[in-house]
Amino acid sequence: MTQLSAAPKQPAEGARATTDSSKALYGGKSTRRITVRDITTAKERGEKWPMLTAYDAMTASVFDEAGIPVMLVGDSAGNCHLGYETTVPVTLDEMTMLSAAVVRGTSRALIVGDLPFGSYQEGPVQALRSATRLVKEAGVGAVKLEGGERSHRQIELLVESGIPVMAHIGLTPQSVNSMGYRVQGRGEEAAQQLLRDAKAVQDAGAFAVVLELVPAELAAEVTRTLHIPTVGIGAGPETDAQVLVWTDMLGLTGGRVPKFVKKYADLREVMGNAVRAFADDVVGGTFPLEEHSVH
């Protein structure tokens, strides 16, 4: 298997127990906005951290109050909120609007805005124009784009221009029409390509990289050898951080969800029961009652 350049020595096992908890990304005492520098130092401390998607101000405020340190305004909004079958139709205008809402709903989390399909593939100049909109109009602290070696020049120009970039390799949903939804990095050739992609985004200046639907052993190898944090989604337990789509994690998504999702609540059932109770009260004449009426 192709090896990457050795990363800085990581803290010994158990080092997290002695880390200054006031500096922790999750559960830390600071109320200022988290920055990419904080993400970098978390890797140096050996601290693991959670990331969730968010698409609106109200939901984002709940996650912010709960201490989630990084939120991704993902183009997964296309599937979760906009009614598209894939992320491909999502526009930059939509991402700008959603990202601005999440920024307004938060005060501590680092907000990362996704660059949607068609907003950066033409080259570095188009990527810079698109990313600048998310930074200036929406107020995000960083942007995310898909692709490893093929996106090297885009990442490099954004970083040189002062825009932090989170990269995304492995399964890249914007490429669904060419690669489908399947595990990436299986087999020696595919693993070597994923390792090259990981090194390419690090060399270009990305501050972190998402590894999606990658074999756990390969994700662990990437995590050990990169000096930037890795964020796993369906990539096993050894990445530096974990991200889930919030509607999957909280059970709002209907139907089948990916195997790697752990459902922490069933909001679809809770909301359905509440809606039916409201409807029954209205039909039965028990809402509104006197205490709900204005005189």
Side-chain angles (χ1 to χ4, degrees), residues 34-277:
I34 289 169
T35 68
V36 295
R37 175 59 184 159
D38 297 318
I39 303 301
T40 300
T41 56
K43 170 96 172 183
E44 295 168 358
R45 292 194 303 266
E47 176 190 350
K48 287 183 176 285
W49 46 274
M51 181 167 84
L52 285 174
T53 63
Y55 315 109
D56 65 89
M58 184 174 294
T59 305
S61 71
V62 174
F63 298 164
D64 205 43
E65 291 171 6
I68 296 298
V70 186
M71 292 183 216
L72 170 66
V73 189
D75 59 3
S76 49
N79 312 77
C80 300
H81 289 275
L82 301 178
Y84 301 136
E85 290 187 5
T86 71
T87 65
V88 173
V90 177
T91 68
L92 184 58
D93 285 343
E94 289 168 335
M95 289 307 306
T96 302
M97 176 192 68
L98 297 172
S99 297
V102 170
V103 171
R104 289 192 295 267
T106 59
S107 61
R108 181 176 182 267
L110 170 65
I111 309 303
V112 181
D114 241 342
L115 290 179
F117 179 74
S119 70
Y120 61 93
Q121 282 84 356
E122 289 180 16
V125 174
Q126 185 201 28
L128 180 58
R129 283 197 301 265
S130 300
T132 298
R133 280 198 63 190
L134 289 181
V135 172
K136 292 187 70 171
E137 298 178 30
V140 301
V143 301
K144 182 176 77 64
L145 56 78
E146 295 182 358
E149 289 182 321
R150 63 184 167 87
S151 295
H152 181 279
R153 292 184 302 119
Q154 285 93 324
I155 295 171
E156 197 169 49
L157 179 59
L158 295 187
V159 173
E160 288 174 355
S161 302
I163 300 176
V165 177
M166 177 180 285
H168 184 158
I169 63 175
L171 173 65
T172 49
Q174 292 174 12
S175 302
V176 61
N177 291 327
S178 60
M179 69 166 54
Y181 290 106
R182 57 189 178 87
V183 176
Q184 302 296 306
R186 280 182 173 159
E188 183 65 20
E189 183 178 347
Q192 289 179 4
Q193 181 59 57
L194 189 126
L195 287 163
R196 288 194 295 269
D197 285 337
K199 187 174 189 300
V201 300
Q202 175 176 270
D203 290 347
F207 74 91
V209 58
V210 173
L211 306 177
E212 181 166 359
L213 215 57
V214 172
E217 181 180 345
L218 179 58
E221 172 70 11
V222 173
T223 301
R224 285 191 299 269
T225 52
L226 290 184
H227 65 254
I228 63 173
T230 57
V231 183
I233 178 166
E238 298 303 319
T239 54
D240 298 299
Q242 296 289 335
V243 61
L244 285 176
V245 172
W246 84 261
T247 53
D248 293 343
M249 185 271 290
L250 289 176
L252 193 59
T253 304
R256 187 166 164 267
V257 297
K259 175 186 177 181
F260 57 76
V261 172
K262 179 176 179 179
K263 191 166 71 172
Y264 288 84
D266 193 345
L267 292 193
R268 196 173 187 89
E269 180 178 1
V270 171
M271 292 173 69
N273 289 340
V275 169
R276 285 186 286 271

